[in-house]
Amino acid sequence: MFGFGRRQAQPAASPAGRTPPASSSRGTAPPGAPGVPLELVRFDSDSGKFHVGEQALKMLRSTKDPVGVVAVCGRARQGKSFILNQLLGQSTGFQVAPSVRPCTKGLWMWSSPIARKNADGSQYQLVLLDSEGIDAWDQTGQYSTQIFSLAVLLSSLFVYNQMGGIDEAALDKLSLVTEMTKRIRVRSENSNEADLASFTPAFLWLLRDFYLSLEEEGQAVTARDYLETALRPVPGSSSSAQDKNQIRASIKALFPDRDCFPLVRPMSDEKMLAKLETLDSSTFRPEFQQGVKELTSLIFHKAQPKRMNNSIITGPMLAALTQAYVDALNHGAVPTIATAWQGVAEAESRRAADMAESAYQQAFNQNVPADEPALDREFDRALSIGQKAFREVAVGDTSIQLAHEKRFQDRVQQLFTQFKKQRLTSAELECEKLVNSARDKLTEASRQPGMTPEILQAEYAKFERSYTQSTAATGPAKWEKLIQFRNGAFAGLQQDVQQRANQAKQQELAAERQKAQDARQQAQQEQAQAASLRQEVTRLGHEVSRLQSELNQERSSKEQHASRVTALEQDLRQETSLLNAARQTLQQAVQDQKQKGETEQRAAVSQLGLELQQARQQLVAVRKEASDSKLEVDSLKRQLDSTSTDSNEWISKYRKAEHDRSVAVSDKEKTERELRGQLSQAEQQLSQANTKLEQAEQQAKAAQAALTQEKLDLQQRLQEAQAQARVVPPATTAATPEPMVVDGADTSAGKDPAKMTIAELKTWLDEHNFQEKVWELGQKKAKKPEYVECVRQLM
């Protein structure tokens, strides 16, 4: 059995062979925790109600970290506050007094929790509670039980402070444990001590001024062995033995995690003990100093964060638990841990939902582009942050957490739906604003003189680039508005500009055609003039023939000059033959010109010029011969003057004919020069007209190709934009570009080409923009069958 002799002095030895926890930052007292005691729970004797201190609640609610709670309880005036001050690392703090009147009423806590770290490095705060002494002279049994119960329910380490060793009297003082099990329930029904044990703190029985040797049958035992031995049931079946065993069983059932620590008397001088808090620690016995050091290390080691239902309690949760237990006591009900915990879980889950909503709102980027996928991704991101914040705070049953999490999710979903609707509406209005502005600018630009589809398309491309890069114009309506504008208003503007351009080109083409027609008419007039000149040459030939006849008559009458007149007649015949040849050549050229098409006109006119040039050369030769003949005639005239008066008359006539011939030749040369100039000018005008006609045809073809390509580009970009906007594109088929048809054209649609004239076939080719075919067929002098075959291939 345990010895009851005085303990011998053992310098710096661990009491009862206890091995202290390994030294670390967790096992040492802080150098001094600044703060003041705060009243956590007080009892109002007038109203008979407990009250929770507002300052203490405020401090707990501001402590967001997990908390561990060390509560020191025991009989009054036995140094509980001194132990707490040692944990604070100071001699003062909680009130210590030498009188028999209790210093501490209700439950008090230190205003500054002690920061601690777990083995994994996570931080928690250690709250120190000082309780009113039990069995004080001004207490009732019920009150003592209530204070004791509150200290047990709120702490994670319950230190029971007692003077001396464990005996029946000491155990009898802990009959409060039995009473507590009667006044506290885990659930409202079907609750027992085993259920309650899962919610009780670690228990440390502190034996102050311990003077016994921890031995059993001559063998040293630990303080825990000493405690377990004291809690063994006493033999016997008497009511007294049953009461004692009931206390022991309640302690063991309520505190499965229990330990014991003996602490020697600090000094022998009673007067000095009365001023314990004012003394320097060096005046204490070395055994006491070592014991206090080991005690604080043990308390810090055992005082872990408080848990309930596998949930770590934080400062706000401890405040809520305190309020829940006090409310139960004030209503005369038995404190129910499950009910109190459910209230705490409800409050914490509610707070977690509010914090999650706040975290969501802080995390949600309201500047996210107004695009539904981007908005949804941002919502999911912010929601995950809010859910993480909720799970970090929410405690309690899954049903409670799910209910409040659903409330949080419903709330943020509602906020997001409103924001999304507003954001998309705002973005759509901005898109519409930009599109309307572009429509006005492009409409005004399309009405400017000289506007072409290419220039208008370039202006639209500038707008589309700025619209695409705009951060204000976003959302699903962005591309829909752009596509509607491009396929609607802009397409109409482009069509109007194209129509005006086509009309201008048609007018220019018509003007060029009119110029060509005028050139053809002028050429025809010049041909008529050439024919008139040819007639005049014929008339002159006739006149020469007449003169030749007269000369023949003169020759016949003048036999003496027959040989000379005969020679002159031969010369005149030769000249007439040349003139007739020129006339026939000119007539043949005119006939060929009529038979050839418009495309051979320039060659005919050129050939005519060459022939006229040859005729002029021949006429020059004739004129030279005529001059020679004139000389001869003059010679003959001189001879004839001497022979006959009739010869003078013939010479006079001949001179007159020669003069008329010279004038005719001069007029012919002048006319030829004018005709060649007019023909050259007509050819130049015709060439220019054909060049402009070809250019106009090429521009019309290029415009038609550009329109076809633009249509294909617009269809492709429409499909891409619809895919990006998650709009199911309508079924489309590639449309074969059709030739541009001028209004009022295609009058021969459905008519058999074989039944059409060449003029109608040419008109059909022109109307369908195949002018190059008309040109090719004209160049090779095609016949009607070739025109018919060409039109059939193009139909």
Side-chain angles (χ1 to χ4, degrees), residues 399-667:
S399 59
I400 296 176
Q401 295 188 35
L402 290 177
H404 288 280
E405 185 175 12
K406 184 178 184 302
R407 180 175 67 85
F408 149 69
Q409 292 177 347
D410 292 343
R411 173 61 179 162
V412 298
Q413 182 66 52
Q414 181 182 5
L415 293 175
F416 173 69
T417 301
Q418 295 174 354
F419 173 81
K420 182 178 180 181
K421 180 179 179 181
Q422 180 181 1
R423 189 77 175 87
L424 293 178
T425 302
S426 176
E428 184 175 357
L429 291 176
E430 186 65 26
C431 294
E432 188 171 353
K433 179 180 177 181
L434 292 177
V435 169
N436 291 338
S437 176
R439 181 175 60 245
D440 296 339
K441 291 180 180 179
L442 291 175
T443 300
E444 183 178 358
S446 67
R447 296 171 180 171
Q448 297 297 321
M451 178 57 62
T452 64
E454 293 76 15
I455 299 177
L456 186 65
Q457 180 64 37
E459 292 297 325
Y460 169 79
K462 293 179 182 178
F463 155 71
E464 185 171 334
R465 285 194 298 271
S466 63
Y467 182 85
T468 302
Q469 297 171 358
S470 174
T471 57
T474 55
K478 178 174 183 176
W479 307 114
E480 182 180 354
K481 294 289 184 183
L482 179 61
I483 293 170
Q484 290 177 355
F485 170 64
R486 182 171 59 196
N487 296 341
F490 175 70
L493 293 175
Q494 196 175 39
Q495 185 177 5
D496 294 341
V497 172
Q498 183 64 48
Q499 288 179 354
R500 288 196 294 270
N502 291 339
Q503 291 175 357
K505 290 180 180 179
Q506 290 175 1
Q507 292 175 358
E508 183 179 357
L509 182 61
E512 295 297 333
R513 287 178 177 175
Q514 183 63 39
K515 290 181 180 179
Q517 183 66 27
D518 294 342
R520 293 191 188 97
Q521 292 178 357
Q522 186 175 1
Q524 290 174 359
Q525 292 175 358
E526 292 173 352
Q527 290 176 0
Q529 292 178 359
S532 177
L533 289 174
R534 285 193 292 273
Q535 291 176 0
E536 182 66 20
V537 170
T538 302
R539 186 187 66 78
L540 290 175
H542 292 313
E543 184 68 20
V544 170
S545 298
R546 185 181 61 80
L547 291 174
Q548 185 178 8
S549 176
E550 291 179 357
L551 287 173
N552 290 331
Q553 291 177 1
E554 289 295 330
R555 288 191 190 97
S556 63
S557 63
K558 304 296 180 183
E559 293 178 356
Q560 60 273 23
H561 300 292
S563 59
R564 302 296 298 173
V565 172
T566 302
L568 181 62
E569 183 180 2
Q570 291 177 352
D571 293 338
L572 289 176
R573 287 178 178 176
Q574 184 179 3
E575 181 179 359
T576 301
S577 176
L578 292 174
L579 291 175
N580 289 333
R583 182 183 59 189
Q584 292 177 357
T585 302
L586 291 174
Q587 290 177 351
Q588 183 64 33
V590 170
Q591 184 66 25
D592 293 338
Q593 181 67 22
K594 290 181 181 180
Q595 293 178 355
K596 293 181 180 180
E598 293 180 357
T599 57
E600 299 293 328
Q601 183 178 359
R602 288 178 295 177
V605 171
S606 178
Q607 181 66 28
L608 178 61
L610 294 175
E611 294 176 354
L612 288 176
Q613 181 67 20
Q614 294 176 358
R616 185 181 66 80
Q617 294 176 355
Q618 293 174 358
L619 286 175
V620 171
V622 170
R623 185 174 58 184
K624 183 177 181 181
E625 293 178 358
S627 179
D628 295 338
S629 298
K630 180 180 178 181
L631 294 175
E632 294 178 359
V633 170
D634 289 339
S635 177
L636 291 174
K637 183 181 71 174
R638 286 191 299 269
Q639 296 176 4
L640 290 175
D641 285 340
S642 61
T643 58
S644 176
T645 303
D646 294 333
S647 298
N648 292 331
E649 183 179 356
W650 181 88
I651 292 171
S652 176
K653 291 181 179 180
Y654 181 80
R655 288 178 177 175
K656 182 179 180 181
E658 181 67 16
H659 175 72
D660 292 338
R661 187 183 66 78
S662 299
V663 171
V665 171
S666 177
D667 292 340

Side-chain angles (χ1 to χ4, degrees), residues 17-35:
R18 174 184 298 275
T19 302
S23 62
S24 67
S25 61
R26 301 190 315 118
T28 59

Side-chain angles (χ1 to χ4, degrees), residues 270-286:
E270 296 293 338
K271 292 182 180 181
M272 297 296 290
L273 287 175
K275 299 182 293 182
L276 195 63
E277 74 281 0
T278 63
L279 298 177
D280 187 85
S281 60
S282 61
T283 61
F284 300 150
R285 295 170 59 189

Side-chain angles (χ1 to χ4, degrees), residues 354-380:
D354 295 338
M355 291 180 62
E357 181 177 345
S358 177
Y360 163 82
Q361 292 179 344
Q362 292 178 2
F364 188 84
N365 179 18
Q366 295 192 354
N367 295 324
V368 64
D371 179 67
E372 286 198 40
L375 286 169
D376 293 338
R377 287 194 299 271
E378 180 61 21
F379 170 72
D380 293 338

Side-chain angles (χ1 to χ4, degrees), residues 661-715:
R661 187 183 66 78
S662 299
V663 171
V665 171
S666 177
D667 292 340
K668 175 178 176 295
E669 291 176 351
K670 181 179 180 181
T671 302
E672 287 176 348
R673 287 194 300 270
E674 292 177 352
L675 180 59
R676 284 195 299 272
Q678 292 175 358
L679 287 175
S680 176
Q681 184 177 4
E683 288 174 352
Q684 292 178 356
Q685 292 177 354
L686 182 61
S687 176
Q688 293 175 356
N690 290 331
T691 301
K692 291 182 180 180
L693 180 60
E694 291 175 355
Q695 293 177 350
E697 292 172 349
Q698 292 176 356
Q699 291 176 357
K701 291 179 181 180
Q704 179 66 24
L707 285 175
T708 303
Q709 183 63 35
E710 178 64 17
K711 181 177 179 181
L712 296 175
D713 292 342
L714 289 175
Q715 289 178 348

